[in-house]
Amino acid sequence: MSHLLLPDASIPALVLRAVVVYAFLLLALRVAGRRELAQMTSFDLVLLLVISNAVQNSINAGDNSLTGGLVSAATLVALNWLMGYATWRWRGVERVVQGKPIRVVSEGKVHVSALRQELLTLAELRSALRKQGIMRISDCRVVTLEPDGTLTAVRRDVEQRSLAELAHPQARFEG
């Protein structure tokens, strides 16, 4: 019964292992590219499940105790919360972790090098634009590949206004 509760590895070792594996996976997914994030297929889901199984022993050092599992899980949840907070709080962290948006179309012209860099085909670009109700690339003022892997488009016929024009006038309440 004591093996169920008492971890084989020390708690600091379990925490360190979880931190290292989390950082490695974060880096690996960042290198994999933003395109993969928005277009997850069944193959991607299988890959994530296999990766989670592959790194399990790296995190828990073969420790199958309840405490070891809870320490590892709590460390991963805490790391995930800290990364969320850090990306919200500091723009530099957000850019490093998530990346910057990439412009793939300007004034109806495709940035071929950007498509190539992100492994995005012309057919995929056209498909994403059709989903936004845009039938031709030439109808776009700007198309941006966002850090989360989605494509956002601004049509040429859409007026863009300044913040001053869009700001709601402050209402005065007298009472």
Side-chain angles (χ1 to χ4, degrees), residues 25-95:
L25 290 176
L26 189 65
L27 177 66
L29 291 174
R30 175 75 170 89
V31 168
R34 67 188 79 220
R35 181 179 172 275
E36 301 303 320
L37 297 175
Q39 300 176 5
M40 184 177 272
T41 65
S42 57
F43 300 113
D44 299 320
L45 177 60
V46 168
L47 175 65
L48 287 175
L49 292 172
V50 170
I51 286 174
S52 68
N53 191 47
V55 300
Q56 174 187 356
N57 287 332
S58 298
I59 292 175
N60 68 11
D63 184 338
N64 293 320
S65 70
L66 181 61
T67 304
L70 293 176
V71 167
S72 297
T75 301
L76 293 172
V77 169
L79 283 170
N80 197 56
W81 182 87
L82 283 170
M83 287 305 297
Y85 178 78
T87 57
W88 169 78
R89 179 71 175 88
W90 298 289
R91 187 170 179 88
V93 173
E94 178 184 26
R95 292 207 175 216

Side-chain angles (χ1 to χ4, degrees), residues 112-133:
V112 177
S113 60
L115 290 183
R116 192 175 297 124
Q117 175 185 342
E118 296 299 326
L119 303 175
L120 189 65
T121 67
L122 187 58
E124 290 170 324
L125 174 62
R126 286 182 172 139
S127 173
L129 292 175
R130 283 192 302 273
K131 289 175 185 173
Q132 295 182 43

Side-chain angles (χ1 to χ4, degrees), residues 167-174:
H168 186 277
Q170 297 295 324
R172 289 191 169 182
F173 295 100
E174 296 179 22

